[in-house]
Amino acid sequence: MNLIMLGAPGAGKGTQAQILSDKYGIPTISTGAIIRSAIKNGTPTGVMAKTFIDKGELVPDEVVIGIIKERLSESDCENGFILDGFPRTIPQAEALDNLGIKIDKVLDIEVDDSLIINRLSGRRECPKCGATYHVVNNPSKSGDVCERCSSPLTTRADDNPETIKSRLNVYHSQTEPLIEYYKKKGNLAVAEGEGSLEATTDAIIKVLEG
Ligand code: AMP
């Protein structure tokens, strides 16, 4: 099963991708996580990408397309994958089409902008394994450390009110057109994402399994 998670920042793409990944035994590929790891390691791509991420802007298409091509060619993607945060622009979606990989479903998780700031400012992330939490809605069972790998949880640098605003603008202008793009292709599925984490998972499973 090859899936794409669509939705605004903070809609719950990463959290739901993690759940689906465990359920179906297929990897989640988060371009954001790959870029953050490149920044942490000080690679040339990371140094360049940081200037965009810090402003809440998108990293150039050719860079993320290169990242995703390389990652999708790895053997663990053979039985399926979940893309979290890619594609984010029409040219990225077209580049994915050109790879000739069939996408079974594109899941659009819908959440109103008014909920996003609260969701993102309470978000915590494990810098080691990428697991995501929310201080109120989805706290780690182990407190301030990751319940999967025991690493101390951190707040993402771009989860601050100023950058969140710019990320939301970028989402509406550059990523939202993908909803129409996939609707036309016939593989878009919409899941309501404003309820609890469990309610959103149920809505997603329903559209995936019927
Ligand atoms: P995310 O972890 O998905 O919220 O991504 C964090 C940041 O990484 C975004 O705000 C962008 O700056 C960058 N990024 C992640 N995925 C992409 C993508 N597909 N295209 C361009 N920039 C991306």
Side-chain angles (χ1 to χ4, degrees):
M1 180 155 51
N2 300 333
L3 299 176
I4 291 176
M5 309 296 283
L6 267 189
K13 299 186 297 294
T15 306
Q16 297 298 335
Q18 195 171 297
I19 293 169
L20 297 177
S21 193
D22 291 343
K23 182 173 163 67
Y24 297 118
I26 51 177
T28 291
I29 300 168
S30 157
T31 37
I34 295 172
I35 294 166
R36 281 188 291 282
S37 156
I39 292 175
K40 205 168 143 206
N41 295 329
T43 68
T45 301
V47 171
M48 186 274 285
K50 189 173 185 317
T51 59
F52 296 94
I53 263 203
D54 283 351
K55 288 185 279 186
E57 292 172 5
L58 294 184
V59 173
D61 284 337
E62 60 274 20
V63 176
V64 275
I65 290 168
I67 289 174
I68 217 76
K69 269 190 191 164
E70 196 178 311
R71 181 65 186 86
L72 286 179
S73 68
E74 287 176 33
S75 59
D76 64 334
C77 295
E78 275 166 14
N79 295 326
F81 54 80
I82 305 168
L83 294 182
D84 163 20
F86 185 96
R88 258 180 159 99
T89 64
I90 299 280
Q92 290 180 21
E94 289 170 347
L96 187 60
D97 288 345
N98 291 338
L99 291 181
I101 300 170
K102 184 177 176 288
I103 299 298
D104 298 293
K105 276 267 184 295
V106 179
L107 283 165
D108 173 33
I109 307 181
E110 290 198 334
V111 173
D112 193 77
D113 282 7
S114 57
L115 294 178
I116 297 293
I117 300 225
N118 171 278
R119 288 233 184 143
L120 290 183
S121 35
R123 178 155 77 174
R124 298 292 178 271
E125 187 186 58
C126 173
K128 193 161 170 223
C129 75
T132 50
Y133 302 92
H134 186 280
V135 285
V136 178
N137 305 337
N138 179 28
S140 164
K141 291 189 186 79
S142 313
D144 292 337
V145 299
C146 178
E147 63 188 39
R148 293 178 168 225
C149 73
S150 301
S151 300
L153 299 178
T154 54
T155 303
R156 273 172 48 173
D158 58 348
D159 280 347
N160 66 77
E162 187 109 332
T163 316
I164 291 170
K165 261 188 226 149
S166 124
R167 287 160 66 203
L168 269 176
N169 286 337
V170 165
Y171 169 74
H172 289 301
S173 62
Q174 301 194 56
T175 307
E176 215 166 36
L178 290 175
I179 295 177
E180 208 45 49
Y181 181 90
Y182 287 113
K183 204 185 263 175
K184 279 195 188 128
K185 282 189 177 288
N187 54 2
L188 184 81
V190 178
E192 207 267 297
E194 295 192 356
S196 67
L197 190 159
E198 293 79 12
T200 306
T201 307
D202 288 347
I204 290 174
I205 304 286
K206 214 168 166 183
V207 295
L208 286 182
E209 298 183 0

